[in-house]
């Protein structure tokens, strides 16, 4: 599970105080890519997915901010993305709507 905050190219918002979070989400793509390199001969897929800004305790900072989507929209969207890309034989960095994110 990655995040749009894990995109190095899109990391241009200053002052959010999310450097450690961003680093952890960017770092998750390294082992995912390694897994893909190891299994790509088998035509298996690896997905790094941004679930959206979801209305959870973490996503709303305990209710201090509003999130963009609810849990059901995130989970249903991710299920559709997994179904669509599961047999692609590639490593994709996508959001819950299937949009590609820059590495």
């Amino acid at each position: 599970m990655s995040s749009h905050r894990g995109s190095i190219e899109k990391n241009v918002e200053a002052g959010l105080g999310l450097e450690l979070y961003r680093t952890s989400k960017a770092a998750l793509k390294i082992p995912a890519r390694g897994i893909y390199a190891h299994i790509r001969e088998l035509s298996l897929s690896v997905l790094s997915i941004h679930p959206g800004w979801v209305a959870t305790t973490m996503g709303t900072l305990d209710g201090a901010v509003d999130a963009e989507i609810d849990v059901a929209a995130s989970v249903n969207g991710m299920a559709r993305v997994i179904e669509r890309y599961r047999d692609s034989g590639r490593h994709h960095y996508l959001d819950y709507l299937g949009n590609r994110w820059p590495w």
Side-chain angles (χ1 to χ4, degrees):
M1 190 62 59
S2 191
S3 167
H4 68 298
R5 300 286 185 196
S7 172
I8 293 170
E9 182 179 322
K10 294 289 188 178
N11 186 6
V12 295
E13 297 172 289
L16 297 179
L18 297 174
E19 287 75 17
L20 292 177
Y21 179 77
R22 287 174 165 172
T23 299
S24 72
K25 293 305 182 178
L28 286 173
K29 293 183 302 209
I30 296 298
R33 194 63 166 186
I35 290 167
Y36 170 70
H38 184 70
I39 65 169
R40 78 191 227 180
E41 297 170 354
L42 304 173
S43 296
L44 298 175
S45 304
V46 176
L47 303 177
S48 297
I49 299 179
H50 163 48
W53 184 9
V54 185
T56 63
T57 300
M58 181 181 163
T60 62
L61 302 175
D62 258 344
V65 295
D66 292 327
E68 294 176 342
I69 60 172
D70 62 23
V71 172
S74 175
V75 171
N76 290 328
M78 288 189 295
R80 284 189 295 273
V81 169
I82 291 167
E83 181 65 28
R84 179 176 175 194
Y85 288 94
R86 70 181 186 167
D87 294 325
S88 70
R90 309 270 324 260
H91 180 198
H92 298 282
Y93 180 22
L94 307 163
D95 67 14
Y96 72 102
L97 295 173
N99 298 313
R100 295 185 187 282
W101 277 85
W103 297 93

